[in-house]
Every structure is written in C-alpha cells, then in structure tokens.
Amino acid sequence: MAFSRRNFLKYAAMSAGGAAIADTPFFSARARAEAEGGDVKYVPTSCEMCFWKCGAIAKVKDGKVVKLEGNPLHPQSLGKLCARGQAGIGQLYDPDRLKKPMIRTGERGDGKYKEVSWEEALSYTAEKLKEVMAKHGPESVAMMSHGSPGDYFTHLLKALGTGNIAFPSFAQCKGIRDAGWEITFGHKPATSCERVDMRNSRVIVLFGTHLGENMHNSQNQEFAEAVGNGCKIICVDPRYSTAASKSFLWLPIKPGTDTALLLTWINLIISRELYDKAYVEQYTVGFDKLKEAVAQYTPEWCAKETDLPEADIIAAAEELGRYAPNVVVHPGRHLAWYGNDAQRVRAMAIINAILGTWGRKGGMWLPPKGKFPSFSDGAPKYPDPAKAPLIKGDYPFAGGEGLTQVVREAAISGTPYPIKALVIAGTDLLKALPAPELTRKAINNLDFMVAIDIMPAETVMMADVILPECTYLERHDGLFKVESREAGVGIRQPAVEPMYDTKPAWWIASELCKKMGKPEFAVKDSWEARMKRQAEAWGVNYAELADKGYVSLPNSAAPYITPDNQPEFPTDSEKIELFSAALEEHNFDPIPKYEPTEQPGEGMYRLVYGRSPVHTFSRTVNSPFLWELQKENELWLNKKEADRLGVKNGQRIRLENQDKVVSSPMRVKATERIRHDCVYMVHGFGHNSPRLSKAHGSGADDQELITQYKVDPITGGTGMRVNFVKILKEA
Ligand code: SF4
C-alpha cells in the first residue's frame, strides 16, 4: 500500500503519537493493520537479501507473506525496497531451500546425505568438533561467514577458545578500503552504509563504483537525487556503466592505472591551489611532504599512463576544486583489485582530505554522536585462545574481520598450525574466495565441516553436516545498530513461523554451546527476550521499536563541522594523516606512490567483474522472482574487438584464462561501452549445485577464472583483477 496523504492521516490519527502529524514519515504496524481490518498484519523487520539491512514491512495475510515494502522511517530504505528486497518472498517460498538437517553419507561433494533430526545433527556436530579439538587444539577449529549468522557462530567459536574467524567481506571486498581510510582519518568511511552526503553533493567521483548496478538502496536513492539536483558525476571506469551514463565526464581509464590518475589530481589540486587551505592547516599533517611527493605526477605523464585525454584529467581536477568542499570522491566498497590497493585507497582518502570533504555538506558526514553501551547479557568473558589466531597473517593493517585466504592456507599446509574443522555460515566460499581450487583442496583436507545456510549452494554441499537456517522472514535477529546521519536501531522479527524443519542461527549456535559443554554461553531463554533486555540497556522502547521497525537515538545527528561540532580523528597525530608515520614505521610508503600493474598480453583481455542490480553475489540467482529478471550473465566485449575476432552479438563463447581454466558458455554483448583491453561479466552465476534447480548451469562463473590473485602487503586484501582471458569461439 502506498503512503498516500489520506492513509497517512488515517494511520496517524489512530496512533498514540498521532498528535504529532507533520511532514515526516510515519509508520505504525499496529495502526496500519487496524486501519485495514481483516486477517492482515504488518510486521516491521530488516531485509536480508543483502547486508544493507533496509527496514522492510512484511504484509501477512492468512498466514502467508504476500508483500514486502520499504519502511519510510528507516534511513536505509527511505520507504522503498530494491528488486531483491521485494523478492524476499521468493526466498521464503523457494522449494529448493534446505528443509531438514542432513549428515553426509557419500564422498565429499557427491551430494549424498541422509536427513536426520536436529538432536542427531547437533550431537554429531558437537562430537566431531570435540574430536578435532582434542587432537589438534581448539585453534584448529575455524569459521568463515557472511551476514547475520556470523555473529552467533563467532560467539560459539570464541567460547570454544579459537580466534580463527574470518569474513570474505574483509580480504575479498571492503577491508582494504576500511584500512586505507583508518590510516588516513582514523575512521572507516562506513559502518552500516557509506557516510557519503550525495544528496547535497555538487560533484561525485566514482572509481569503478557502479551505483545503479551495485544496488544499495538508500545510496542509490541519494545518487538519483544528486543526479536530479544537477550534481556533476565523474565516472572513472573502463566500462560505460549505468552510473557513467548519468555522468558529466566519463573517464574510460586503462585498468590498473587508477593510482596514477589520483596522484595527478592531488598534484593538480595542490599546484593550482584548488585545495581547502584553512581545512588542511587545521586538520591535517604532512601537507608539505605530500606536495613534494606528488609533484612528479604531471597530466602529460598521466594521460600516457592512463590512456585518458589530458584535457579531461585537468577538467576533472578543476571541477573538484571549483565546488570543494561540497564534493566527494566516493570511497567505494569492493576494492580488492590489483594487490597494491591500500595505497590507491589512501590516495582517494587524501583527495577528500585536501578538498576538505570530511564533515562538510555534500562530502562525508561525520559519525553520529554517542555510543551504544556494550551488552553481553551476562555471558562470561571468552577464554583466551590457546594459540594466537592466524587471521591477520603477516599484514600489519589487516582488520579484526580476518583473512580468509590465510585460514585456507593453514588448512592446506598445516602451518603454522593446522586448521582441521570449519564452520561456514551464510557464505558460498567457492564463489567468494579467489583460486577456488585452493578452497576445494583446503576443504578436502579438513576432518570436519559444518554448514549453516538457507540454500544448497556448492560449498554447502561439501559439508559433513548441513544445518538449515530459516530465512530472515521467519526469525528474530538483532537488534541492529544503524549509523547514518543519525544513530538509530533497527529490528528483525518474524513475519511467519519457520517453514520446514529449519531453525534460526542464534538457536543453532546456542544449542551447540550446550552440547560442547559451554552452557554458560548459551542464550538464557529466547532471542526475543534477549532483544528486550538489550533494548532496555540501550534506552530504547522495545514495544515502539517492534511497532515502527526503526527508532532514532535523540540528538545523535551531527553530520557537519560547526564551531560547536568539531571532528575527531583517532590517528596517532589526532589529525588527518596525509603522511602516515604508522605506514613508515612498518616500512611502507608513508605517501602513496604509483606502481604500474601488469597489462594483458597479445590476444588476452583483463577480466573485470561486477554486480547486477537484481542479484546479491551468488546468493540470489536461484531466487524465483530474481531468476526471472536475470537468468544468466553475459560477457561485455568491445564491439571492434568482437568484429576483429568474428564474434557476433549474442553468440555463445567460452573464456580461457592464463592458467588454461575454461569457463562455461556465455553470451557475448558486443558493445562500444567497454574498452578494448578488458572484458566484463557479472559475478555470481554458473552454479554447479544440481539442487539449485534454476541457477544450476545458468551463465558462467567468473570466480573459476580467478585462479591468480595478488595480496596487498599492507592489509592482506586479495587483488583479483589480475587475471587475463581469451575468447574461445566454440561454445
Ligand atoms: Fe534488501 Fe535491497 Fe536493502 Fe539490500 S538494498 S537490504 S536487498 S532492500
């Protein structure tokens, strides 16, 4: 139902807070259901079709979820859901879901399982974990996870005495970005969402960030607003993406040379005095050293290195300077590209710093004021791990989210100590980590693997035990901290009872705590009871939160710098570090330097991958509605290259990479919208699991072609755009 003025007034009048009718969004689940009458209820919850956690409202009629829509109160949905969010019903009612606990009976990976009771599955899991721990120590148990279940199994593993917990979202995605910004500003550029004040920006620069295809709800709504407001978009991308189609300037850069462009812009902005002098003086350290270091990066040199017109390089820097500080070089999200990525991210952060964008309108908003009190619900302190976790490897700026490839390596080599059991929750590792053959090898070396998931993806179907989780529409989770321009709290609560014999992840982890002899770490009663205690500890009215789906913390919004609202930079110098003493201490360049990246050889193209607006990585390809919208991916190939190779638009081809790995067939999209030296495909297709009846065999898998990766020496992030492919015309 749309929030018409008439309905708005009707609900508002019926609610307890109805006296405060104003032009602010309004939502009350109770009032709305009462207004509609009949056997209808509305359940505010948080979407989990991706990690953005938009506020969603489930309409339930006759015991079935019939519609999902965006919560107007929630800052990450702003009253709307993306296509994936609306298709959450498809996931709920997908007949391919995991329906019962299963124990493997055949060879690993051959798909043979027996269905068992929860009691048998959990007892067997606990017995196997105990065996591994007794033989190899608790540290030999590791976890890799994505999304909400990770929190519960992190708790379990820490209770067992292991810190080997790693999330692909760090090394394979945003860890490099977070580390680069933390080194510079002392802050990550995002918590639940990026702190980019796009709706007020005059110029937005996007480096490979394909907003519109990379569909993060509120961010895309703000981007559309910015475009509508006449904001100038500068899009640096070898591909004419959806965002590029809205741009004032498209810079089709030679892949691998972005740092050359960034350092040249820094030089231009400084040498032409386009930077914010007062801001630099007040809030930064190392400006003179930066100025000296970047003087070598001239526009003439940059034009040759990046294959961009010199005039465009200069024009972009001038636009940034003209409208500063109401501009932003967007920090992006997936930045694990070439193996020297932290320094590229540093260069992005430094441009924002000298243009004075942090804490300025149209730039980056400041973190909201106030902290949520910590809440442990009386759980005891975790035991100290018997052996130091491996998860940071030899990378001094690797974050606490851990390096998946380091855990994988220990499972293969057994050094510095072996990983022999793995818990995977909500992640298809074969689609998330580079070099999937190494992932298979690591899994085959394990004594035991347990998977907690909703769908029978390929990695899940290699587990010894599969524990079926219910979907987000069938469970309590959270409460969720939401940090946008203000701090707030979101909630996840069930719209319907769990279907089949599935359970919430909190329950599975809690039962395993008990079976592993750690009942003191188990949930005391129910998760909802715990959520109520947490709300109380945070000073939030639970009943109001459950009715509205989101509440903001009063007086927490302070997005811009004012005389009374000064930014804090928790770096060593307590300023923005243009020159990083911390990097220098670890023998890294304290100011970014340009390092050329290997380019494709004769007949080869760099493999570039990205996102679809209707799919979340590989997780939603089987979702009935979303599969209808996009059933397979296609290969973007430059039209002239296609003509030269004699490949027609729509023709099926295969790709072969530098290590002779050959992809499944996929159709060619011959287009002027991509450079001649790279090809592009959407990530997440080409599923091998026959239990995914729709996704199985649809499209091609980019991950199988990513056999090589280059590790960023600062953070341990795995640069994955270092693979080259040729076209095989015989499909
Ligand atoms: Fe759901 Fe879309 Fe929001 Fe992600 S961006 S949480 S899929 S509505």
Side-chain angles (χ1 to χ4, degrees):
M1 177 183 290
F3 280 83
S4 67
R5 176 82 183 151
R6 198 160 66 87
N7 281 331
F8 166 79
L9 291 171
K10 193 164 145 195
Y11 303 139
M14 292 184 68
S15 80
I21 292 175
D23 260 356
T24 50
F26 172 82
F27 178 75
S28 157
R30 177 185 54 78
R32 189 165 175 189
E34 282 174 15
E36 199 152 324
D39 182 21
V40 169
K41 67 173 179 172
Y42 289 91
V43 182
T45 189
S46 299
C47 178
E48 199 184 44
M49 293 298 282
C50 84
F51 54 81
W52 204 248
K53 294 198 187 88
C54 293
I57 299 160
K59 179 177 181 178
V60 183
K61 197 164 188 309
D62 301 328
K64 288 203 103 183
V65 180
V66 293
K67 191 177 180 193
L68 292 167
E69 57 190 51
N71 187 335
L73 302 179
H74 199 292
Q76 270 152 247
S77 48
L78 303 169
K80 295 176 182 157
L81 298 179
C82 76
R84 297 164 303 159
Q86 293 177 52
I89 299 174
Q91 185 191 63
L92 174 65
Y93 297 117
D94 188 337
D96 291 343
R97 274 178 63 178
L98 293 165
K99 298 185 178 97
K100 262 190 96 59
M102 297 195 289
I103 294 179
R104 180 164 68 82
T105 54
E107 293 299 308
R108 189 166 263 157
D110 74 2
K112 292 193 181 128
Y113 286 84
K114 63 173 178 184
E115 292 188 345
V116 296
S117 68
W118 275 98
E119 174 54 32
E120 187 177 347
L122 292 170
S123 297
Y124 183 74
T125 301
E127 185 193 314
K128 290 290 171 190
L129 289 175
K130 280 180 191 166
E131 265 175 41
V132 169
M133 286 168 62
K135 202 164 162 194
H136 302 284
E139 66 282 352
S140 63
V141 179
M143 181 187 85
M144 295 192 202
S145 175
H146 193 270
S148 304
D151 292 346
Y152 309 115
F153 292 96
T154 294
H155 178 70
L156 168 69
L157 264 72
K158 286 188 173 173
L160 296 180
T162 172
N164 285 318
I165 297 160
F167 298 83
S169 54
F170 186 87
Q172 282 74 53
C173 190
K174 65 181 175 59
I176 289 159
R177 176 200 70 180
D178 290 349
W181 280 72
E182 272 187 313
I183 292 165
T184 313
F185 286 89
H187 295 283
K188 295 174 184 170
T191 46
S192 35
C193 59
E194 282 84 16
R195 293 191 186 106
V196 186
D197 191 23
M198 283 196 288
R199 66 164 67 113
N200 294 306
S201 291
R202 306 293 304 275
V203 180
I204 298 171
V205 181
L206 301 173
F207 269 84
T209 295
H210 46 323
L211 300 180
E213 289 154 288
N214 188 358
M215 183 54 72
H216 297 136
N217 189 357
S218 50
Q219 186 159 243
N220 278 282
Q221 292 190 51
E222 281 212 26
F223 181 64
E225 219 178 317
V227 171
N229 291 341
C231 171
K232 292 184 170 172
I233 311 298
I234 297 172
C235 208
V236 185
D237 199 318
R239 192 173 63 93
Y240 191 72
S241 61
T242 302
S245 73
K246 313 292 171 217
S247 65
F248 148 80
L249 194 55
W250 173 43
L251 298 175
I253 194 165
K254 185 202 287 183
T257 65
D258 310 72
T259 311
L261 178 62
L262 286 158
L263 294 172
T264 304
W265 279 352
I266 296 173
N267 181 25
L268 283 167
I269 289 164
I270 293 176
S271 60
R272 297 185 179 207
E273 302 203 337
L274 300 171
Y275 63 99
D276 188 328
K277 294 189 188 66
Y279 188 98
V280 165
E281 176 72 25
Q282 188 173 356
Y283 296 121
T284 72
V285 288
F287 180 76
D288 290 340
K289 288 179 180 161
L290 174 71
K291 180 177 176 178
E292 195 187 328
V294 296
Q296 61 183 299
Y297 302 112
T298 65
E300 302 80 29
W301 165 82
C302 183
K304 287 198 195 97
E305 198 63 31
T306 58
D307 198 18
L308 293 172
E310 188 181 331
D312 286 353
I313 294 167
I314 296 169
E318 285 179 341
E319 287 303 313
L320 282 168
R322 179 172 303 138
Y323 292 104
N326 312 120
V327 303
V328 69
V329 177
H330 193 293
R333 187 160 277 260
H334 170 77
L335 293 157
W337 295 353
Y338 305 116
N340 52 2
D341 300 297
Q343 292 290 20
R344 185 181 74 252
V345 170
R346 277 267 296 151
M348 292 166 82
I350 286 170
I351 291 194
N352 279 290
I354 61 174
L355 292 168
T357 73
W358 183 270
R360 307 296 270 284
K361 198 167 184 184
M364 308 280 293
W365 67 69
L366 295 176
K369 285 193 280 189
K371 293 252 174 290
F372 291 89
S374 65
F375 176 76
S376 68
D377 205 25
K381 199 172 161 289
Y382 296 120
D384 287 332
K387 285 193 184 163
L390 308 171
I391 54 168
K392 291 196 176 189
D394 296 326
Y395 305 96
F397 295 88
E401 289 171 69
L403 302 174
T404 48
Q405 80 275 12
V406 171
V407 173
R408 179 176 73 179
E409 185 48 40
I412 295 170
S413 68
T415 55
Y417 55 76
I419 296 294
K420 295 306 281 182
L422 187 61
V423 178
I424 59 165
T427 181
D428 185 359
L429 296 180
L430 290 165
K431 292 272 189 286
L433 269 59
E437 267 320 297
L438 294 181
T439 306
R440 286 191 188 96
K441 198 168 171 188
I443 292 173
N444 286 329
N445 240 9
L446 296 169
D447 288 351
F448 181 69
M449 182 164 97
V450 56
I452 299 94
D453 216 311
I454 292 164
M455 300 301 296
E458 188 183 353
T459 319
V460 172
M461 298 311 294
M462 292 181 83
D464 300 287
V465 177
I466 298 173
L467 303 175
E469 192 192 9
C470 54
T471 70
Y472 70 96
L473 290 166
E474 303 162 290
R475 65 177 197 245
H476 281 103
D477 263 333
L479 313 174
F480 300 127
K481 294 176 192 171
V482 180
E483 288 197 350
S484 57
R485 291 174 177 83
E486 62 182 17
V489 182
I491 190 170
R492 181 169 290 144
Q493 48 191 349
V496 289
E497 289 294 310
M499 292 178 62
Y500 316 116
D501 198 4
T502 62
K503 299 282 186 189
W506 69 260
W507 181 90
I508 303 170
S510 179
E511 291 302 300
L512 282 172
C513 279
K514 292 181 204 163
K515 290 201 179 288
M516 294 297 294
K518 300 279 179 187
E520 66 277 22
F521 290 96
V523 178
K524 286 183 203 158
D525 32 33
S526 71
W527 196 257
E528 191 186 16
R530 188 189 187 277
M531 286 163 71
K532 286 179 179 167
R533 293 190 288 274
Q534 187 169 17
E536 198 178 344
W538 285 357
V540 170
N541 179 329
Y542 185 83
E544 183 189 358
L545 177 61
D547 187 45
K548 292 182 171 174
Y550 171 81
V551 293
S552 58
L553 299 192
N555 306 319
S556 59
Y560 308 125
I561 294 175
T562 66
D564 298 330
N565 186 37
Q566 284 296 302
E568 288 175 7
F569 300 109
T571 56
D572 289 345
S573 62
E574 299 188 349
K575 295 209 168 192
I576 305 169
E577 301 208 340
L578 307 177
F579 177 97
S580 167
L583 283 177
E584 191 176 47
E585 218 173 275
H586 286 94
N587 296 321
F588 296 119
D589 291 325
I591 290 171
K593 278 189 189 141
Y594 176 62
E595 292 169 15
T597 308
E598 188 189 351
Q599 293 297 324
E602 187 65 30
M604 303 294 275
Y605 303 91
R606 186 185 297 276
L607 178 64
V608 181
Y609 51 84
R611 302 281 304 270
S612 158
V614 299
H615 287 297
T616 301
F617 316 124
S618 59
R619 285 192 71 73
T620 60
V621 177
N622 201 67
S623 177
F625 305 143
L626 298 175
W627 186 74
E628 286 297 334
L629 289 175
Q630 186 180 7
K631 293 190 170 83
E632 58 183 281
N633 51 359
E634 53 188 3
L635 184 80
W636 288 46
L637 173 66
N638 178 273
K639 175 79 170 63
K640 284 192 186 135
E641 289 297 305
D643 291 345
R644 192 175 64 76
L645 295 170
V647 172
K648 300 238 171 330
N649 190 42
Q651 182 178 333
R652 282 195 186 271
I653 53 90
R654 291 178 195 260
L655 295 175
E656 180 183 295
N657 81 353
Q658 70 282 329
D659 296 321
K660 308 286 178 214
V661 172
V662 176
S663 75
S664 308
M666 64 190 311
R667 284 187 199 284
V668 163
K669 175 188 173 106
T671 173
E672 303 290 348
R673 292 173 56 189
I674 189 163
R675 281 178 60 92
H676 65 280
D677 49 5
C678 57
V679 290
Y680 171 84
M681 62 197 285
V682 167
H683 168 71
F685 286 84
H687 281 268
N688 284 328
S689 170
R691 293 191 186 222
L692 297 174
S693 63
K694 290 173 282 305
H696 181 233
S698 284
D701 181 5
D702 57 316
Q703 209 67 31
E704 289 291 345
L705 297 166
I706 300 177
T707 50
Q708 301 288 327
Y709 61 99
K710 285 204 170 130
V711 180
D712 178 69
I714 297 175
T715 62
T718 56
M720 296 188 281
R721 293 192 179 170
V722 295
N723 290 272
F724 304 109
V725 292
K726 67 179 176 187
I727 314 278
L728 302 180
K729 287 204 274 179
E730 302 76 23

